[in-house]
Amino acid sequence: MTIGVRVKTIAVMTGGGDCPGLNAVIRAVTKTAISKYGITVWGIEDGYLGLIEKRLRPLSYSDVSHILSIGGTILGSNNTTNPFKYPVRNKKGEVKFNDVSDDCVETLAEKEIDALICIGGDGTMTSAAAFAKKGLVVIGVPKTIDNDLWGTDVTFGFDTAVNTAVEAIDKLRTTASSHHRVMIVEVMGRYAGWIALYSGVASGADVILIPEIPYRIEKICQFVEKRNSWGKSYSIIVVAEGAKAVGGKMVIQKKLAFSPDPIRLGGIANKLAGQIEQITKLETRAVTLGYIQRGGTPTPRDRILATSFGYTALELLVSGVKNRLVVMKDGKLSSVPLSQVAGKIRTVPKNYPLIKAARAVNTCFGD
Ligand code: F6P
């Protein structure tokens, strides 16, 4: 676990889908490295794609000034590149997958980079763990609005996404109540229901549908009809993009041919709207929040988490720790081996306390 060599030069990259707080981590890493330890910092553009294409640039203290509150990433990101399975087209136009990880290691060696800080989600960490196995010194920083990274209780970006979703749901309530409609709001989260659960509870949604609890359409319709019979002339349903019916499948929007995680979910809200309107005869509308959940300025909570994660990544490196993911566990900053994180995701446990609280206030989960 100990590096044994003083760290003089590092590189930092952001991989996967963009997310509020990425710049806050880049800033914390770069400022700590330069001002506290005199370490030179390189920024890799567009995640692993930039590493493959040798697109690295030096990061100065002033490059990262005034970026704390800015969404996105000054380095750019990419969520379709795996250096261990990189698609290359031959003259006939056929695609072959090459392992270009040795070239990446060489690129870092050419610039005398001692360690790599990978800010990303499960895809980024899976490759980071594979690079660590090849001898690279790597520290991971957990990012994703989905909050589904294994090993940490929370990822930065999640709080901002939940805030954005709650703000939107609060606004949609106006039309739902004025027009006596069923309003279905689809949120992101991939195979985990964290965003739906938290934004649903925080906005007082009547129905929350998450992948971890498959739903029955009849239960949802009965619940909505019961609300109407109580004089509640509208209902708000928050549905995770990965939600599915009992015995059913997730709704896939598209498949990306060469992505390490090719499935893109989306469309469940429209599907449900059609079914609910047909069964209950209540006017029903669907809204998909989409990428606005990934955009905008990070909340103070995410800025603080991102700054703490970035600083901790540097502290781990200089204290000789390598190949670990910075995590927040039981309210404390610590780290776990990257090898333990690779290839896993953290979904909502069925007995999660917030589910119990939501059920207690009569929220329907469609089961
Ligand atoms: O992982 C973040 C996320 O926004 C998911 O919630 C969503 O399923 C996915 O990325 C969308 O990916 P893309 O940006 O490739 O459409």
Side-chain angles (χ1 to χ4, degrees):
M1 209 157 77
T2 304
I3 299 171
V5 185
R6 197 177 91 77
V7 180
K8 288 192 193 128
T9 307
I10 62 167
V12 57
M13 56 153 274
T14 52
D18 70 337
C19 149
L22 285 167
N23 283 328
V25 182
I26 296 169
R27 170 182 175 269
V29 164
T30 307
K31 286 195 168 184
T32 308
I34 294 173
S35 65
K36 194 168 174 201
Y37 295 109
I39 292 172
T40 301
V41 185
W42 287 85
I44 300 170
E45 296 175 351
D46 299 336
Y48 291 123
L49 183 65
L51 184 55
I52 294 166
E53 295 175 351
K54 298 183 187 242
R55 287 189 281 115
L56 283 76
R57 62 174 198 253
L59 283 182
S60 70
Y61 198 92
S62 69
D63 285 334
V64 298
S65 287
H66 307 296
I67 64 168
L68 173 67
S69 60
I70 301 170
T73 160
I74 58 163
L75 292 174
S77 196
N78 177 286
N79 67 354
T80 55
T81 307
N82 177 356
F84 295 84
K85 210 176 160 207
Y86 184 62
V88 182
R89 247 174 231 286
N90 66 17
K91 280 181 193 151
K92 287 187 203 155
E94 297 157 345
V95 175
K96 227 184 103 209
F97 289 94
N98 287 352
D99 179 349
V100 295
S101 59
D102 282 339
D103 302 337
C104 295
V105 174
E106 217 177 285
T107 299
L108 295 172
E110 276 163 17
K111 299 212 167 340
E112 297 182 350
I113 290 166
D114 305 306
L116 177 62
I117 296 196
C118 294
I119 310 167
D122 67 322
T124 306
M125 293 314 148
T126 301
S127 291
F131 272 123
K133 240 180 166 176
K134 288 186 97 87
L136 222 63
V137 173
V138 191
I139 295 287
V141 177
K143 142 305 355 180
T144 166
I145 62 161
D146 304 336
N147 203 33
D148 64 349
L149 199 55
W150 193 91
T152 184
D153 291 342
V154 66
T155 55
F156 72 84
F158 173 63
D159 187 61
T160 308
V162 169
N163 268 269
T164 301
V166 169
E167 210 182 309
I169 299 163
D170 286 349
K171 284 182 178 153
L172 292 165
R173 186 177 286 279
T174 312
T175 305
S177 75
S178 305
H179 288 263
H180 317 296
R181 287 177 180 163
V182 178
M183 191 67 86
I184 308 178
V185 188
E186 179 175 320
V187 296
M188 283 183 161
R190 271 193 331 165
Y191 310 117
W194 296 108
I195 299 178
L197 178 63
Y198 273 66
S199 63
V201 171
S203 61
D206 307 298
V207 182
I208 299 174
L209 305 174
I210 60 174
E212 295 83 349
I213 306 178
Y215 64 82
R216 290 184 192 279
I217 192 72
E218 323 81 69
K219 294 269 180 191
I220 301 169
C221 292
Q222 279 161 15
F223 187 82
V224 164
E225 283 169 338
K226 203 165 72 188
R227 277 179 55 77
N228 268 54
S229 71
W230 290 339
K232 303 278 181 194
S233 65
Y234 75 96
S235 292
I236 305 275
I237 300 177
V238 174
V239 59
E241 61 181 355
K244 56 179 189 290
V246 174
K249 287 191 178 134
M250 293 181 184
V251 181
I252 294 173
Q253 193 201 350
K254 62 169 153 181
K255 286 189 184 172
L256 303 180
F258 305 123
S259 174
D261 178 13
I263 290 173
R264 292 298 177 272
L265 299 169
I268 181 73
N270 276 316
K271 179 180 168 181
L272 282 171
Q275 290 174 320
I276 292 173
E277 198 163 71
Q278 198 188 22
I279 298 169
T280 64
K281 310 288 179 253
L282 294 168
E283 198 178 22
T284 305
R285 294 284 192 273
V287 175
T288 301
L289 296 187
Y291 298 100
I292 65 158
Q293 293 158 97
R294 295 212 319 225
T297 182
T299 58
R301 188 188 283 260
D302 273 338
R303 295 180 202 187
I304 291 164
L305 189 61
T307 301
S308 308
F309 278 163
Y311 159 74
T312 306
L314 239 289
E315 290 297 313
L316 287 176
L317 262 187
V318 295
S319 64
V321 170
K322 62 175 180 174
N323 307 340
R324 293 181 78 90
L325 174 74
V326 180
V327 298
M328 181 66 88
K329 229 27 211 154
D330 302 323
K332 287 200 184 87
L333 285 158
S334 59
S335 68
V336 295
L338 277 171
S339 56
Q340 275 182 21
V341 177
K344 292 186 200 149
I345 60 162
R346 188 179 73 103
T347 53
V348 182
K350 283 213 175 66
N351 60 352
Y352 194 66
L354 192 56
I355 295 179
K356 289 186 192 162
R359 288 193 195 276
V361 296
N362 208 21
T363 307
C364 169
F365 283 84
D367 56 341

